[in-house]
């Protein structure tokens, strides 16, 4: 599970790039569990509906050597999901029970922010190998991130480590780094949880551009320091989850 108590810290971007990195050596699925704000269709450039079998099972879409599923593939992109909690819980359950994932080595779960119905359904339905907590450096982000991390300890799901996103701004022209956000949220939270700081990812305009274009950054910028950091993170996750 790729998680955070706060929105806007880059969970979905990290989830898709991490899954893509793992897929070079493993069979990987990526499940976007944000019912209210699914972003996987945009991040992968997919705008089609999954096929349904005769017994009403969903067949994941495939791209970038990944098996992909999101509420955004099922729901009209322009239609808001105006749903109460029980409906959200049922949809989350369907993603676990009614999707034909096949044989996978890793299923990466991109969670919505917060500690609500989706997270509770998740930990009740699945035995999760571990959670990865995403934060940004500043203290205001860390306040909500702590709540998300503590939720996993209460439901006996191990936290594998912390990733700090937007650590610095990395200039695409001269590769000079500048700290934009004050604080050291990733290091502070990993110390508090007594887990590794898996990586620190730079803020870079090309990452945002790759999201808008629907191609994971690690595919289009294979020699980038950011891609090398993703490789480092992936290797640690392989070691921690094996």
């Amino acid at each position: 599970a790729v998680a955070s108590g706060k929105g806007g810290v880059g969970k979905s971007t990290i989830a898709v790039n991490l899954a893509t990195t793992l897929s070079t050596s493993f069979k990987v699925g990526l499940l976007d569990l944000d019912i209210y704000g699914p972003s996987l269709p945009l991040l992968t450039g997919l705008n089609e509906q999954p096929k349904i079998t005769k017994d009403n099972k969903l067949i994941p879409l495939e791209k970038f050597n990944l098996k992909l599923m999101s509420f955004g593939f099922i729901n009209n992109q322009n239609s808001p999901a105006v749903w109460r909690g029980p409906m959200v819980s049922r949809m989350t359950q369907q993603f676990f029970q009614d999707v034909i994932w096949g044989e996978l080595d890793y299923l990466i779960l991109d969670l919505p922010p917060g500690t609500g119905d989706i997270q509770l359904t998740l930990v009740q339905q699945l035995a999760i190998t571990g959670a990865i907590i995403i934060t940004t450096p500043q203290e205001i982000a860390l306040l909500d991130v702590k709540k998300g991390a503590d939720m996993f300890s209460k439901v006996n799901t191990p936290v594998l480590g912390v990733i700090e996103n937007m650590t610095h701004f990395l200039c695409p022209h001269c590769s000079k780094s500048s700290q934009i956000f004050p604080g050291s949220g990733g290091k502070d939270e990993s110390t508090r949880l007594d887990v590794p700081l898996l990586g620190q990812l730079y803020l870079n305009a090309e990452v945002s551009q790759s999201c808008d274009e629907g191609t994971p950054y690690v595919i289009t910028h294979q020699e980038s320091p950011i891609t090398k950091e993703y490789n480092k993170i992936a290797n640690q996750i392989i070691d921690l989850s094996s």
Side-chain angles (χ1 to χ4, degrees), residues 31 33 96 107 109 121-129 157:
L31 173 56
L33 280 170
F96 301 148
L107 178 60
L109 308 171
T121 302
L122 171 71
V123 295
Q124 288 167 354
Q125 295 290 324
L126 293 182
I128 303 173
T129 307
T157 297

Side-chain angles (χ1 to χ4, degrees), residues 184-197:
S184 53
K187 184 179 179 182
D188 294 345
E189 185 64 356
S190 65
T191 300
R192 186 183 77 89
L193 295 170
D194 193 25
V195 297
L197 178 60

Side-chain angles (χ1 to χ4, degrees), residues 75-128:
N75 190 46
N76 185 309
Q77 285 283 311
N78 298 316
S79 300
V82 187
W83 288 9
R84 292 187 184 276
M87 292 175 68
V88 172
S89 296
R90 281 199 297 273
M91 174 56 77
T92 305
Q93 257 180 295
Q94 276 192 292
F95 278 143
F96 301 148
Q97 298 171 359
D98 297 333
V99 177
I100 304 174
W101 290 105
E103 190 176 318
L104 295 177
D105 298 308
Y106 291 94
L107 178 60
I108 305 298
L109 308 171
D110 178 16
L111 300 190
T115 55
D117 294 293
I118 291 174
Q119 286 83 352
L120 291 172
T121 302
L122 171 71
V123 295
Q124 288 167 354
Q125 295 290 324
L126 293 182
I128 303 173

Side-chain angles (χ1 to χ4, degrees), residues 203-223:
L203 182 65
N204 183 296
E206 292 175 340
V207 174
S208 179
Q209 184 180 357
S210 71
C211 291
D212 291 344
E213 292 175 350
T215 303
Y217 178 88
V218 295
I219 291 177
T220 54
H221 299 78
Q222 295 187 12
E223 299 303 316

Side-chain angles (χ1 to χ4, degrees), residues 7 19 35 47 68 90 99 106 112 162 174 176 179 189 205 208 215:
I35 304 297
N47 188 23
L68 305 163
R90 281 199 297 273
V99 177
Y106 291 94
V162 175
C174 65
K176 181 180 179 181
Q179 186 170 4
E189 185 64 356
S208 179
T215 303

Side-chain angles (χ1 to χ4, degrees), residues 2-78:
V2 178
S4 173
K6 182 175 176 57
V9 297
K11 286 185 302 298
S12 296
T13 303
I14 289 172
V16 72
N17 280 286
L18 181 59
T20 304
T21 302
L22 288 167
S23 74
T24 59
S25 303
F26 299 96
K27 296 175 183 176
V28 181
L30 175 57
L31 173 56
D32 174 9
L33 280 170
D34 195 336
I35 304 297
Y36 297 113
S39 55
L40 195 58
L42 175 65
L43 293 172
T44 57
L46 281 172
N47 188 23
E48 56 186 274
Q49 291 193 330
K51 294 179 180 177
I52 303 175
T53 65
K54 291 179 181 178
D55 53 349
N56 291 321
K57 301 289 184 181
L58 290 166
I59 300 173
L61 301 181
E62 295 193 35
K63 196 173 183 181
F64 309 123
N65 202 33
L66 295 169
K67 291 187 176 182
L68 305 163
M69 184 54 64
S70 168
F71 181 66
F73 296 146
I74 300 167
N75 190 46
N76 185 309
Q77 285 283 311
N78 298 316

Side-chain angles (χ1 to χ4, degrees), residues 126-194:
L126 293 182
I128 303 173
T129 307
I132 300 157
I133 305 299
I134 313 300
T135 187
T136 49
Q138 61 270 51
E139 183 66 28
I140 194 167
L142 204 55
L143 290 172
D144 290 332
V145 169
K146 286 177 181 177
K147 296 173 187 175
D150 290 343
M151 179 202 72
F152 286 107
S153 64
K154 287 182 179 180
V155 295
N156 297 316
T157 297
V159 174
L160 299 181
V162 175
I163 297 174
E164 184 181 81
N165 197 21
M166 310 180 201
T167 300
H168 298 91
F169 171 69
L170 184 66
C171 177
H173 306 294
C174 65
S175 295
K176 181 180 179 181
S177 65
S178 306
Q179 186 170 4
I180 293 178
F181 303 118
S184 53
K187 184 179 179 182
D188 294 345
E189 185 64 356
S190 65
T191 300
R192 186 183 77 89
L193 295 170
D194 193 25

